[in-house]
Amino acid sequence: MTIVRSPNCSNSIVGRFAPSPTGPLHFGSLVAAVGSFVLARQAGGRWLLRMEDLDQPRVVPGAADSILRLLEDMGLEWDGEIVWQSQRTERYAEVLEQLRSNGHLFDCGCTRKEILASAPHPGEEGPVYPGLCRQGLPPGRPPRATRLRVDGAETLCFTDGLFGPRKQHLETAVGDFVLLRADGVFSYQLAVVVDDIDAGVNQVVRGADLLGSTPRQIYLYACLGAPPPTYLHLPMAIRADGRKISKRDTESTGHGTQHGERLCQLLRFLGQAPPEELRSALPGDVVNWAIENFDLSRVPAESRVPDDSF
Ligand code: GLU
């Protein structure tokens, strides 16, 4: 596919928010929504919206609608059409074939149990795939997943907009990773990269829980011959008891809270100091204040969720 960009917008910023409709937006997702929106708009850029609804069994009916309603109510207006990952499986299959014909992929017949049994040490995100099927499936063994080989990858270095220089050696930290799962679902890593390339996204702002996925994604960009976006990962939301907030934590931010006040709460979490009077302001006014005043140098790498948000 050839991407044609008009010369006068070749430098413009394209950011995005990519929620998974697996439940209501939790505090960390709202932080990503506000942060990515404000940083795109502050740069005079576009802000796109994508529903990551690829993993259909995990999709909760009604969740996408409530996410959209909440974004609208908070004054976070997106540009263009919403992209639904569930409608793009043909495109992911096409890119998978491109990677296969360039020798980047192999079929893997291993079960999770087998990988666990032969993985000498756990990696950053579970067992490191030890390359068992890299030279071909054992005779008679049917393929289960499709993996991207990383044995030729150099140590990947990138500079995160908040966390600074980062590096990861993919082979020892994660191993050959899955692009097509045993249940036939395309992996998050593949879909996110293909979608961001196709949409022209050049500024990724999201939660620090995805910092560890970024080297895999940058490697995929390289395999596809596309330039990666800039990355900025926002602080993890830590509960008052010190636990990270996970998707399992149900969202309760703002039952009875005004949207303007909720926005102020999110901005304070990001180290900003919205004036007191904005607490009772309309969301649009808070959003405009944030676009004018958001100061990246004030954003902490870790931040506690205000007690009243859970
Ligand atoms: N869908 C992912 C999530 O909700 C975010 C993906 C991304 O921003 O790259 O955690």
Side-chain angles (χ1 to χ4, degrees):
M1 194 185 80
T2 320
I3 300 168
V4 182
R5 296 204 178 95
S6 71
N8 59 0
C9 68
S10 59
N11 288 326
S12 59
I13 291 294
V14 183
R16 49 70 158 179
F17 176 52
S20 306
T22 51
L25 289 181
H26 59 84
F27 190 86
S29 305
L30 285 171
V31 169
V34 171
S36 60
F37 174 88
V38 171
L39 289 169
R41 292 286 190 247
Q42 205 172 47
R46 306 179 73 224
W47 187 67
L48 312 180
L49 185 62
R50 175 169 75 238
M51 277 294 163
E52 302 215 323
D53 60 345
L54 206 50
D55 198 350
Q56 282 290 322
R58 292 187 58 230
V59 167
V60 170
D65 279 350
S66 63
I67 290 172
L68 299 180
R69 212 171 319 119
L70 182 57
L71 293 176
E72 275 169 354
D73 288 349
M74 288 175 61
L76 305 178
E77 281 174 28
W78 58 89
D79 294 302
E81 298 280 310
I82 301 169
V83 170
W84 297 80
Q85 286 190 328
S86 55
Q87 293 171 9
R88 286 179 46 79
T89 49
E90 274 178 32
R91 176 70 181 135
Y92 306 138
E94 182 182 279
V95 174
L96 199 77
E97 281 325 300
Q98 181 189 333
L99 288 165
R100 195 187 294 280
S101 58
N102 290 337
H104 289 293
L105 306 185
F106 64 90
D107 288 332
C108 173
C110 299
T111 60
R112 196 175 156 73
K113 219 166 141 189
E114 285 167 329
I115 296 170
L116 275 172
S118 60
H121 30 250
E124 290 179 21
E125 287 177 30
V128 176
Y129 181 73
L132 296 171
C133 298
R134 209 186 267 153
Q135 310 310 333
L137 286 167
R141 176 62 75 97
R144 287 169 53 83
T146 303
R147 291 179 184 269
L148 184 83
R149 53 190 315 149
V150 297
D151 47 336
E154 306 273 310
T155 297
L156 276 159
C157 305
F158 72 101
T159 301
D160 182 81
L162 184 63
F163 288 81
R166 312 280 303 181
K167 61 178 182 189
Q168 192 182 62
H169 184 244
L170 284 176
E171 192 175 0
T172 45
V174 281
D176 307 315
F177 57 95
V178 170
L179 296 191
L180 180 61
R181 300 180 348 196
D183 60 2
V185 177
F186 292 99
S187 76
Y188 155 70
Q189 308 293 353
L190 177 71
V192 79
V193 168
V194 174
D195 290 343
D196 282 341
I197 292 175
D198 288 356
V201 168
N202 54 17
Q203 176 179 275
V204 169
V205 176
R206 58 189 180 188
D209 53 330
L210 292 167
L211 200 51
S213 284
T214 304
R216 267 170 283 178
Q217 293 171 15
I218 292 176
Y219 186 60
L220 258 173
Y221 276 92
C223 294
L224 293 168
T230 61
Y231 289 97
L232 189 148
H233 290 84
L234 293 167
M236 292 295 291
I238 308 286
R239 293 168 59 108
D241 61 9
R243 277 199 300 123
K244 279 181 192 168
I245 291 188
S246 76
K247 291 240 158 82
R248 282 184 293 276
D249 286 307
T250 51
E251 180 248 22
S252 65
T253 49
H255 290 305
T257 313
Q258 296 303 313
H259 295 300
E261 188 180 338
R262 184 198 307 230
L263 280 162
C264 287
Q265 194 180 56
L266 292 159
L267 289 166
R268 279 196 299 277
F269 174 85
L270 288 169
Q272 313 300 306
E276 268 311 293
E277 60 269 22
L278 275 185
R279 274 171 171 258
S280 50
L282 292 171
D285 294 335
V286 185
V287 163
N288 286 338
W289 178 89
I291 294 170
E292 268 176 43
N293 297 284
F294 195 89
D295 180 357
L296 193 54
S297 68
R298 297 180 64 127
V299 180
E302 197 174 85
S303 193
R304 272 177 204 274
V305 176
D307 285 343
D308 57 351
S309 66
F310 278 89

